[in-house]
Amino acid sequence: MRVLICGAGRVGHGIARRLAREKHDITIIDENADLVDQVSTDLDVRGLTGHAAHPDVLKRAGASDCEMIIAVTHFDEINMVICQIAHTLFSVPYKIARVREQSYIDPAWKNIFSREGLPIDMVISPEIEVGEAILQRFRTPGAVMSATFGKGQVKLLGLEIDDQSPLLDTPVDQMRGLFPDLSARIVGIGRGDSVRAPRSTDVLKPDDRAYIAVLDEHADRLTSIFNRHNERLDHIVIVGGGNVGLYVAKTLERESNIRIRLIENSALRADAAVAELKRTIVIQGDGLNPDILAEAGAPKADFVIAITNDDKTNLLICNLAKRAGAKRAMALVNATELAGLARDMRVDAVLDPRALTVSQILLRMRRGRILGLQSIEDGLAEVAEGVTLESSSLIGKTLGYQDLPDGVTAAAIVRDGVVHMAGPDVTVRAEDRLIVFYEESMVRKVEKYFRVSPDFF
């Protein structure tokens, strides 16, 4: 697919890197020549220096022939104009824009992004995506990652394995026999720098990352089995009062009675947070100051989440909070090279906003009836939920560990609103909603599972 990316910042760079790995034809535009040169050199993609909202620049970039345009500059309004021009002058089939200002995506103004208004096919709101990911972590605090499928009925949890796990050195297909009342299935194993779909005889080792599909109501029990107990959250400290921090605090105020303390360094933003929040105590100060952290109660907090706009600051804040006594700490980290430092700095989990954005874009690029998608470990693997059509090669197949090709593991089927965890006793039918884990090399193979076969006609 020919894709035009407008904006060569961290998000644009991350999107370009992932799409280039999948052999898409990428051109990236930015006014900053240094950023364009960096992306072009790092990724071997075409780069163009210029203002992406100018028609002549888009024309030189090949907008007339591209199939998708992704506008992720730092300015919402420029992203909207880029999509409008791409539609009006170049008839680009699919247009994606990053929109950060929450007023634009308020349901009251839902007609803004329509053919009659601004012809944008997909609006990416990083703040909401990151905020929801944080809330998912709060709901399953023992997991290093969490995602939902099957309209919330199935969770995918990433759990770190320690030397006390009851499943150490046990073949993955024996999990059902050991815990017959637990609806869960190990679908992926991360070890070192790799992630793979397991076969029936594969076993978990200390320091592995296990990716497990589990029925939502069994998630708490699963984490307790893996020695990741879900203690009740009573006290949360949020460091960073921007859009994400406010979204998380507001949602927690609505959904729970958790005590929330929000630290914000900017006096202006702190005052704005006070005006918008009802029960949250807002503290104006530097989250790197141990006295400020102590004032917010970080040493006794169940969870400290650092979501400032600086990766290094977030990691240091979490490290300080853990050293002071916080039970868990999570940091927002954009740079992949910094995310690897999290464990050494005693940070329990990191969130990569680019990974969330890329997952949404990849969902639109995947062919076939794919309804949901989650990228795993910077694209080394994916989990997708798709509808099996009558012509799918999966129809009639069973879903044991040995029944699908190497690199693919079925997680579950949702049929008529009922979840069936995958296994050798589960057979695929037409119109099933199949949730499947697969390695990066199997993307095209999995797409075919959810497409109409030419032989069908």
Side-chain angles (χ1 to χ4, degrees):
M1 181 180 289
R2 301 193 64 178
V3 182
L4 187 56
I5 300 173
C6 304
R10 288 186 298 190
V11 173
H13 193 153
I15 294 169
R17 180 163 55 89
R18 182 64 194 281
L19 298 186
R21 272 166 44 189
E22 295 195 4
K23 308 302 181 184
H24 294 287
D25 185 354
I26 308 297
T27 301
I28 194 161
I29 306 173
D30 200 284
E31 285 189 291
N32 188 319
D34 291 338
L35 286 178
V36 171
D37 288 342
Q38 181 181 354
V39 176
S40 301
T41 303
D42 290 350
L43 307 178
D44 193 25
V45 300
R46 183 186 174 208
L48 181 65
T49 302
H51 196 297
H54 292 174
D56 61 316
V57 174
L58 288 175
K59 182 177 180 180
R60 282 191 286 127
S64 299
D65 300 319
C66 82
E67 299 165 77
M68 176 182 288
I69 191 164
I70 304 171
V72 287
T73 74
H74 293 296
F75 303 99
D76 294 350
E77 292 77 12
I78 290 178
N79 294 336
M80 296 177 193
V81 170
I82 289 170
C83 290
Q84 179 69 71
I85 292 173
H87 173 79
T88 304
L89 299 184
F90 302 106
S91 301
V92 176
Y94 205 88
K95 299 158 288 292
I96 298 174
R98 180 172 68 167
V99 178
R100 305 180 68 180
E101 174 53 53
Q102 299 302 292
S103 176
Y104 285 125
I105 55 180
D106 189 305
W109 320 118
K110 61 182 179 181
N111 291 329
I112 290 179
F113 305 111
S114 64
R115 291 288 172 179
E116 294 74 27
L118 290 167
I120 300 174
D121 300 287
M122 178 183 175
V123 174
I124 299 171
S125 177
E127 282 77 10
I128 290 180
E129 295 290 340
V130 172
E132 284 297 323
I134 291 170
L135 293 167
Q136 283 288 345
R137 298 291 179 87
F138 287 160
R139 291 162 187 150
T140 51
V144 296
M145 70 84 60
S146 175
T148 59
F149 294 90
K151 298 182 179 179
Q153 296 182 87
V154 179
K155 277 188 175 177
L156 175 75
L157 300 182
L159 298 170
E160 290 187 336
I161 306 303
D162 58 29
D163 55 12
Q164 301 299 315
S165 172
L167 288 178
L168 278 181
D169 297 319
T170 301
V172 295
D173 67 351
Q174 292 185 21
M175 184 176 181
R176 181 185 291 188
L178 290 173
F179 305 100
D181 298 327
L182 179 70
S183 294
R185 180 174 171 83
I186 299 170
V187 295
I189 299 175
R191 183 172 296 161
D193 296 328
S194 67
V195 181
R196 59 193 176 85
R199 309 307 282 174
S200 60
T201 56
D202 286 339
V203 298
L204 295 174
K205 299 291 185 181
D207 298 324
D208 280 353
R209 303 170 301 281
Y211 293 95
I212 306 174
V214 59
L215 201 62
D216 180 57
E217 54 261 40
H218 292 185
D220 288 352
R221 185 175 172 220
L222 173 69
T223 54
S224 68
I225 288 172
F226 278 78
N227 298 321
R228 295 289 187 271
H229 297 284
N230 280 343
E231 302 97 343
R232 179 183 172 191
L233 298 182
D234 294 314
H235 182 190
I236 288 175
V237 176
I238 301 170
V239 185
N243 288 336
V244 177
L246 284 178
Y247 180 86
V248 172
K250 284 181 178 179
T251 305
L252 289 175
E253 283 187 342
R254 289 196 309 269
E255 294 183 355
S256 69
N257 294 316
I258 295 173
R259 286 182 296 145
I260 309 164
R261 304 292 184 267
L262 188 147
I263 301 173
E264 171 52 53
N265 199 28
S266 164
L268 190 62
R269 282 204 296 265
D271 288 342
V274 170
E276 292 195 46
L277 298 170
K278 297 176 181 178
R279 292 189 294 105
T280 301
I281 293 177
V282 179
I283 300 169
Q284 194 266 312
D286 185 356
L288 282 171
N289 185 327
D291 293 334
I292 296 294
L293 284 174
E295 183 181 347
K300 296 182 179 180
D302 298 305
F303 229 124
V304 174
I305 170 73
I307 44 179
T308 75
N309 57 9
D310 184 88
D311 293 348
K312 296 174 185 177
T313 297
N314 293 338
L315 288 170
L316 287 171
I317 288 170
C318 288
N319 182 260
L320 285 173
K322 286 298 292 287
R323 288 179 181 276
K327 291 181 181 177
R328 290 193 178 90
M330 179 164 54
L332 187 71
V333 179
N334 289 275
T336 306
E337 60 273 16
L338 291 178
L341 299 175
R343 179 176 295 185
D344 294 337
M345 297 186 71
R346 301 175 62 181
V347 180
D348 296 288
V350 296
L351 277 173
D352 181 357
R354 294 181 306 174
L356 299 170
T357 298
V358 168
S359 290
Q360 291 300 307
I361 292 172
L362 290 175
L363 175 59
R364 305 298 173 178
M365 300 184 76
R366 294 288 177 255
R367 303 180 189 278
R369 292 180 64 185
I370 295 179
L371 310 176
L373 186 142
Q374 177 69 42
S375 181
I376 304 292
E377 296 198 19
D378 197 30
L380 293 177
E382 291 179 0
V383 178
E385 177 182 356
V387 178
T388 53
L389 306 177
E390 289 184 18
S391 62
S392 172
S393 61
L394 288 178
I395 300 300
K397 283 188 177 295
T398 53
L399 296 177
Y401 282 108
Q402 307 298 120
D403 295 330
L404 296 180
D406 286 347
V408 182
T409 302
I413 279 175
V414 182
R415 181 182 296 151
D416 299 325
V418 178
V419 176
H420 305 268
M421 301 307 296
D425 55 342
V426 177
T427 303
V428 181
R429 302 178 189 171
E431 298 301 316
D432 280 344
R433 293 168 67 111
L434 172 64
I435 303 165
V436 62
F437 178 103
Y438 49 97
E439 298 167 16
E440 181 182 23
S441 60
M442 300 300 289
V443 166
R444 298 292 171 253
K445 178 75 173 179
V446 170
E447 283 183 335
K448 291 179 181 178
Y449 290 155
F450 305 111
R451 295 171 64 181
V452 175
S453 168
D455 296 337
F456 186 68
F457 301 100

